[in-house]
Amino acid sequence: MDSLAKKALAINRELKKLHPSAKIALTFKNNFELLVAVILSAQCTDKKVNQITPVLFKKYRSVRAYATANPREMEHIVHSCGFYRAKTKNIIGAAKYILEKHKGRVPKTMREILHVPGVARKTGNVVLGNAYGVVEGIAVDTHVMRLSKLFGLTKHADPVKIERDLMALLPKQEWFPFTYRLIDYGRAHCTARCKHENCPLRKYIK
């Protein structure tokens, strides 16, 4: 095992101690609601998404309801999460696609879910892991991207390349929780404007 892999494992152990119950912060009641919430979370805080989704989930109670939704009405509900037109288009498109191709059920494999409108690898990883316990990679959000670079676990800026680097450093059973440990760490201890004087993992900063 090389030194970088040892460093990644050490960081993961410390994160596990700091955030033993780390998990997704988005609220949802079924797999399609999970997909909708993750689509809305792009470049938006989970807190804001969780303020929007109760209204959205109350209005649209099935995949078919999303597929036949009036775009203007949905845009009005999701407006405050940003990029609302694109997100509305993706949610309605995802619902139509899943109804047509998967009988209304969210796909269970990365290969299949990447064909769903609005879904890239990050969304696919989050949905598959939380909906089905299927782990095919590591979800790279802004926290994971920022902290992985800060700790010197990757030199890349591209999420797919960062994911590949992290997957090579960590055992597969740690891929899913590692994302949420880093997210919780980024929120609680090491924000984007952090000076790192009081960061619990500052010794690992490259």
Side-chain angles (χ1 to χ4, degrees):
M1 183 184 298
D2 65 28
S3 59
L4 191 57
K6 289 179 181 178
K7 182 180 182 181
L9 291 173
I11 289 170
N12 187 53
R13 283 194 298 271
E14 294 296 325
L15 289 171
K16 191 172 184 178
K17 292 175 185 175
L18 288 167
H19 303 287
S21 303
K23 63 180 182 178
I24 190 169
L26 296 170
T27 55
F28 54 92
K29 293 180 180 177
N30 58 57
N31 293 343
F32 191 77
E33 286 187 355
L34 167 62
L35 174 59
V36 170
V38 178
I39 290 173
L40 290 175
S41 71
Q43 299 185 50
C44 179
T45 65
D46 290 347
K47 182 179 179 180
K48 172 58 71 175
V49 174
N50 287 340
Q51 292 171 352
I52 293 168
T53 49
V55 178
L56 192 68
F57 295 164
K58 185 176 181 180
K59 183 173 179 63
Y60 306 104
R61 295 182 177 272
S62 68
V63 178
R64 188 168 299 279
Y66 283 95
T68 57
N70 180 304
R72 301 290 87 77
E73 291 180 1
M74 187 178 292
E75 285 175 5
H76 179 73
I77 296 172
V78 306
H79 185 276
S80 61
C81 74
F83 302 96
Y84 62 95
R85 288 195 179 94
K87 291 177 181 180
T88 295
K89 181 180 178 181
N90 285 334
I91 290 168
I92 294 174
K96 289 178 178 178
Y97 181 88
I98 287 171
L99 270 179
E100 180 184 348
K101 300 293 184 181
H102 297 280
K103 300 180 180 179
R105 294 175 182 161
V106 175
K108 289 186 176 182
T109 69
M110 184 65 77
R111 180 181 60 82
E112 291 174 318
I113 204 168
L114 287 177
H115 290 289
V116 176
V119 176
R121 279 198 65 91
K122 188 206 97 170
T123 299
N125 279 318
V126 172
V127 173
L128 292 175
N130 285 283
Y132 302 116
V134 172
V135 179
E136 295 198 23
I138 296 174
V140 178
D141 81 332
T142 54
H143 290 287
V144 176
M145 187 181 305
R146 176 174 60 83
L147 293 171
S148 295
K149 292 170 70 176
L150 181 69
F151 293 137
L153 301 180
T154 184
K155 295 179 180 178
H156 294 111
D158 177 69
V160 174
K161 292 180 179 178
I162 292 172
E163 179 186 8
R164 192 180 304 134
D165 287 345
L166 295 176
M167 287 166 66
L169 294 173
L170 294 163
K172 188 173 183 179
Q173 66 266 26
E174 298 299 325
W175 291 356
F176 182 72
F178 185 72
T179 291
Y180 298 106
R181 290 168 190 158
L182 271 186
I183 290 171
D184 281 4
Y185 182 79
R187 287 173 175 159
H189 304 287
C190 189
T191 61
R193 296 180 181 179
C194 184
K195 303 294 186 183
H196 311 304
E197 295 100 331
N198 299 310
C199 288
L201 302 185
R202 61 187 177 276
K203 66 182 178 181
Y204 296 109
I205 294 174
K206 186 178 178 183

